[in-house]
Amino acid sequence: MKKWNRWQDYVAVIAGLVAALSTLWTTQESGSMVMMIGCGVLLMASGIWNLMSPGQPVAEWVQMVLGALLFISPWLVGYTTHMGAAWTSWIAGGVALIVGMLALQPSMHERADTHHGGAAAH
């Protein structure tokens, strides 16, 4: 797998960026702002990590956990009544979780090829 070449990771970076920046145009509470900015920035970081180092399944798992955390954060933190913030968390978190799942299998395959002397090791 080539660096900077996976669409799933670009989507995760964009989802994180939208989550973090949406605090500027949606109604927020302190808890929702912390979750959205925190998870958003961490999603961007995990997406960039995945883009720089393809074939790292742990990075895909980190991305999926962050996506799931962002998705459930309106219920965890209690901002389901702030519809803009809640929907942004649900959509961005769901997108990050889905693209992480889509990238996991190729990442695991890449790692197996690299460690077993396959064509990806070149």
Side-chain angles (χ1 to χ4, degrees), residues 31 44 103 110-111:
M44 288 188 291
E110 170 72 16
R111 184 159 178 86

Side-chain angles (χ1 to χ4, degrees), residues 4-6 15-16 18 20 26 28 30 35 38 45 47 59 66 73 77 84-85 90-91 93 95-96 98 100 104:
W4 307 103
N5 199 28
R6 293 192 2 188
V18 168
T26 57
Q28 298 288 321
S30 61
M35 289 301 290
L66 289 168
S73 67
V77 180
W90 292 326
I91 293 169
V95 165
I98 290 167
L104 183 60

Side-chain angles (χ1 to χ4, degrees):
M1 233 177 274
K2 295 181 182 178
K3 291 182 179 183
W4 307 103
N5 199 28
R6 293 192 2 188
W7 67 268
Q8 298 96 328
D9 300 323
Y10 285 106
V11 171
V13 170
I14 292 167
L17 182 65
V18 168
L21 291 180
S22 71
T23 60
L24 298 173
W25 61 81
T26 57
T27 304
Q28 298 288 321
E29 298 176 341
S30 61
S32 63
M33 187 174 288
V34 168
M35 289 301 290
M36 292 178 75
I37 291 173
C39 287
V41 168
L42 291 172
L43 269 174
M44 288 188 291
S46 71
I48 292 168
W49 176 20
N50 285 332
L51 284 165
M52 289 179 3
S53 303
Q56 299 286 328
V58 69
E60 306 301 343
W61 281 105
V62 167
Q63 185 175 301
M64 288 187 297
V65 167
L66 289 168
L69 180 61
L70 184 58
F71 184 83
I72 65 172
S73 67
W75 294 290
L76 286 177
V77 180
Y79 60 96
T80 56
T81 58
H82 292 84
M83 295 311 286
W87 276 102
T88 301
S89 293
W90 292 326
I91 293 169
V95 165
L97 179 60
I98 290 167
V99 296
M101 288 189 291
L102 291 173
L104 183 60
Q105 188 65 32
S107 182
M108 291 172 63
H109 182 27
E110 170 72 16
R111 184 159 178 86
D113 284 350
T114 301
H115 287 325
H116 292 97
H122 297 273

